[in-house]
């Protein structure tokens, strides 16, 4: 971490001597623990002192200001090494029009489309190995399998920008038919349906799914859909981030990048962009499954195959590993499982032996809770949480949910304390 900080410090001191059209926040910017917007003054970096420092005569337009009106050539010290093919990518109107994407030809048009000044857009989208301001709030949640899952939640303004990129750009690009996670009109139920009644179900898991989708991969997807190198880089920087660790130096706190820049869990654009990056993976795996007479679906990082010929499972898994490695993903071998009809076959938490349904243990637990509440033997947990579980069962299989909904309605009708029990429990 010390060497990373020293490298950033050297770059910071030399920044004014470089002829790059970049923007950095003022040294007074600090990270707030709340979800407030970061402090910013777009005039901080471009004042008369800067003009004098680069030897601009009075009345002559400063070079730095002239370049602010054009596209950047430099996006940050950790983003070197781009291939010539990507760096020379230009705006392709035919590809843009194919899915009705916004026609963004340069950074200025991106800033106008997002509704913010160009300087502020560059502040959000300049790659810094270390910075005194962080546009994300970091926290962790426990995983069911153990360990901690890192969540990086963008602050209010950045989240609003990402939501616009999602709704008006990323969501317009169709995903592969096999992808069911975070896709409108699809769900864990549609993901499980193709695997009902099969003799064998094979489940695999992609390890570190979001962290494995790095900034260059996101930029490559945007270039492939018609955007120039500059616009694709800007949008990819807006939607990716490093995990960072705090480092205090001379009374000032810096946030040092850890690992590569990638899609983060917590950003609204991450799931949809991940589906686009995994499009080729899904097509190849769907073709492989069809070759063996199997069905294939993917929900986020969960891959599921099912079929009636158990003798080909070994060859199937071997080829899946090869394709996953070719597409620069990694399988979590500890989560690979093969289930035959003699046992309970589960796909994304739903049982698929004979029909798509919720686990029997969940329905039994709900029946017991409702029965005890009707008898008055035991107080019922929070009504809203029970209502949510019943609605979940109903969304998967309305037949399984019918007696649960009836019991919940009866409790609501006979309860002497209706507080918190208002609202219809019918399916949405």
């Amino acid at each position: 971490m010390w060497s990373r900080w020293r490298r950033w410090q050297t770059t910071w001191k030399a920044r004014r001597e470089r002829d790059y059209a970049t923007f950095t926040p003022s040294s007074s910017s600090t990270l707030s623990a709340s979800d407030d917007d970061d402090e910013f003054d777009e005039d901080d970096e471009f004042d008369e002192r800067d003009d004098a420092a680069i030897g601009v005569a009075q009345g002559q337009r400063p070079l730095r200001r002239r370049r602010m009106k054009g596209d950047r050539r430099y996006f940050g010290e950790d983003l070197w090494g781009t291939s010539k093919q990507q760096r020379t990518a230009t705006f392709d109107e035919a590809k843009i029009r194919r899915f009705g994407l916004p026609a963004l030809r340069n950074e200025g048009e991106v800033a106008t489309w997002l509704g913010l000044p160009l300087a502020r857009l560059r502040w959000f989208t300049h790659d810094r190995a270390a910075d005194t301001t962080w546009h994300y709030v970091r926290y962790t949640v426990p995983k069911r399998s153990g360990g901690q899952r890192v969540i990086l939640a963008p602050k209010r303004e950045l989240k609003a920008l990402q939501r616009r990129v999602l709704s008006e750009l990323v969501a317009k690009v169709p995903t592969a038919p096999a992808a069911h996670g975070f896709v409108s009109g699809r769900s864990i139920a549609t993901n499980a349906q193709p695997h009902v009644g099969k003799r064998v179900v094979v489940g695999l898991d992609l390890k570190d799914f979001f962290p494995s989708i790095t900034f260059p991969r996101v930029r490559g997807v945007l270039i492939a859909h018609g955007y120039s190198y500059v616009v694709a880089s800007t949008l990819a920087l807006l939607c990716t981030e490093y995990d960072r660790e705090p480092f205090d130096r001379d009374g000032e706190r810096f946030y040092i990048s850890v690992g590569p820049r990638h899609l983060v869990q917590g950003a609204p654009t991450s799931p949809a962009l991940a589906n686009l990056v995994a499009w080729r993976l899904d097509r190849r795996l769907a073709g492989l499954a069809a070759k063996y007479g199997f069905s294939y679906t993917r929900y986020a990082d969960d891959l599921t195959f099912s079929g009636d010929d158990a003798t080909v499972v070994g060859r199937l898994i071997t080829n899946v590993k090869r394709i996953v490695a070719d597409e620069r993903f990694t399988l979590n071998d500890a989560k690979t499982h093969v289930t035959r009809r003699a046992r309970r076959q589960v796909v994304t938490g739903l049982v698929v032996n004979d029909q798509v349904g919720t686990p029997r243990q969940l329905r039994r637990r709900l029946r017991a809770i409702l029965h005890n509440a009707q008898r008055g033997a035991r107080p019922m947990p929070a009504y809203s949480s029970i209502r949510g579980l019943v609605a979940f069962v109903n969304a998967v299989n309305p037949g399984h949910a019918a007696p649960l909904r009836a019991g919940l309605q009866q409790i609501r009708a006979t309860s002497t304390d209706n507080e918190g029990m208002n609202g219809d429990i019918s399916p949405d």
Side-chain angles (χ1 to χ4, degrees), residues 143 149-150 205-219 221 240-243 258-265 270 273-278 281 298 300-303 324-332:
K143 294 182 179 180
R149 187 185 310 278
V150 176
D205 181 84
L206 296 176
K207 185 177 181 180
D208 298 329
F209 181 53
F210 285 113
S212 66
I213 302 177
T214 55
F215 163 79
R217 303 181 71 175
V218 176
R219 179 178 58 193
V221 163
T240 58
E241 178 56 308
Y242 300 101
D243 191 8
V258 179
R261 192 179 186 105
H262 60 273
L263 292 180
V264 298
Q265 296 192 58
S270 291
L273 283 171
N275 281 336
L276 297 187
V277 172
L281 171 72
R298 179 181 61 82
D301 57 356
D302 292 325
L303 314 179
V324 168
D326 284 348
E327 297 300 324
R328 292 181 290 170
F329 290 99
T330 305
L331 283 178
N332 186 347

Side-chain angles (χ1 to χ4, degrees), residues 19-23 46 63-76 86-91 103-112 118-119 121-122 125-126 226-235 237:
D19 196 17
Y20 296 125
T22 59
F23 184 84
F46 308 105
L63 177 61
R64 183 183 291 271
R65 292 189 181 182
R66 291 202 307 272
R67 288 205 170 171
M68 276 294 296
K69 297 181 181 298
D71 286 336
R72 277 178 291 181
R73 295 180 298 176
Y74 176 70
F75 292 89
Q86 282 201 352
R87 185 172 288 277
T88 57
T90 58
F91 179 80
L104 307 174
R105 294 173 173 79
N106 51 57
E107 281 187 289
E109 292 187 4
V110 174
T112 302
L118 179 58
L121 174 64
R122 290 178 174 175
T125 59
H126 186 75
Y227 289 110
S228 67
Y229 168 78
V230 171
V231 171
S233 297
T234 301
L235 294 172
L237 284 166

Side-chain angles (χ1 to χ4, degrees), residues 53-308:
I54 58 176
V56 177
Q58 188 174 5
Q60 179 182 355
R61 176 185 290 180
L63 177 61
R64 183 183 291 271
R65 292 189 181 182
R66 291 202 307 272
R67 288 205 170 171
M68 276 294 296
K69 297 181 181 298
D71 286 336
R72 277 178 291 181
R73 295 180 298 176
Y74 176 70
F75 292 89
E77 61 186 89
D78 280 4
L79 301 186
W80 296 106
T82 308
S83 67
K84 182 178 180 180
Q85 182 180 4
Q86 282 201 352
R87 185 172 288 277
T88 57
T90 58
F91 179 80
D92 189 328
E93 187 171 0
K95 291 181 179 179
I96 294 295
R97 294 177 60 182
R98 181 182 180 188
F99 299 119
L101 304 182
L104 307 174
R105 294 173 173 79
N106 51 57
E107 281 187 289
E109 292 187 4
V110 174
T112 302
W113 176 64
L114 292 173
L116 76 167
L118 179 58
R120 190 167 183 83
L121 174 64
R122 290 178 174 175
W123 183 50
F124 277 120
T125 59
H126 186 75
D127 182 87
R128 302 174 183 87
D131 203 351
T132 55
T133 301
W134 201 10
H135 302 300
Y136 290 78
V137 176
R138 185 187 193 275
Y139 60 93
T140 59
V141 295
K143 294 182 179 180
R144 287 188 301 174
S145 57
Q148 297 291 321
R149 187 185 310 278
V150 176
I151 305 296
L152 295 182
K155 294 183 181 179
R156 182 170 54 242
E157 184 180 4
L158 178 58
K159 181 180 289 187
L161 298 176
Q162 291 175 345
R163 283 176 173 165
R164 180 156 193 180
V165 172
L166 172 63
S167 62
E168 299 186 21
L169 194 158
V170 181
K172 292 184 177 182
V173 182
T175 59
H180 291 260
F182 318 107
V183 179
S184 178
R186 306 179 198 175
S187 64
I188 59 172
T190 62
N191 182 71
Q193 185 61 49
H195 308 292
V196 172
K198 300 298 179 64
R199 290 186 178 180
V200 59
V201 174
V202 181
L204 305 101
D205 181 84
L206 296 176
K207 185 177 181 180
D208 298 329
F209 181 53
F210 285 113
S212 66
I213 302 177
T214 55
F215 163 79
R217 303 181 71 175
V218 176
R219 179 178 58 193
V221 163
L222 295 170
I223 289 175
H225 285 89
Y227 289 110
S228 67
Y229 168 78
V230 171
V231 171
S233 297
T234 301
L235 294 172
L237 284 166
L238 196 68
C239 300
T240 58
E241 178 56 308
Y242 300 101
D243 191 8
R244 296 179 184 267
E245 293 183 359
F247 178 74
D248 295 322
R249 177 71 175 176
D250 298 331
E252 190 171 14
R253 170 156 290 192
F254 297 89
Y255 293 88
I256 313 298
S257 61
V258 179
R261 192 179 186 105
H262 60 273
L263 292 180
V264 298
Q265 296 192 58
T269 47
S270 291
L273 283 171
N275 281 336
L276 297 187
V277 172
W279 184 87
R280 180 179 165 90
L281 171 72
D282 290 332
R283 294 298 298 267
R284 293 184 68 184
L285 292 180
L288 175 68
K291 176 182 177 180
Y292 290 109
F294 273 54
S295 299
Y296 162 73
T297 61
R298 179 181 61 82
Y299 193 95
D301 57 356
D302 292 325
L303 314 179
T304 306
F305 298 83
S306 64
D308 295 322

Side-chain angles (χ1 to χ4, degrees), residues 354-418:
D354 300 309
Q355 60 180 331
V356 177
T358 51
R360 187 174 301 171
Q361 294 88 335
L362 172 62
R363 302 197 302 272
R364 286 177 175 174
R365 177 168 168 262
L366 287 173
R367 282 199 298 268
I369 291 173
L370 296 174
H371 178 70
N372 289 333
Q374 289 171 349
R375 293 174 52 201
R378 186 177 300 174
M380 190 175 74
Y383 178 83
S384 59
S385 63
I386 299 302
R387 177 175 176 264
L389 288 172
V390 173
F392 167 66
V393 176
N394 185 84
V396 175
N397 191 317
H400 290 167
L404 300 176
R405 292 178 60 234
L408 197 59
Q409 288 281 19
Q410 183 178 355
I411 292 173
R412 181 185 172 192
T414 59
S415 175
T416 58
D417 181 12
N418 288 325

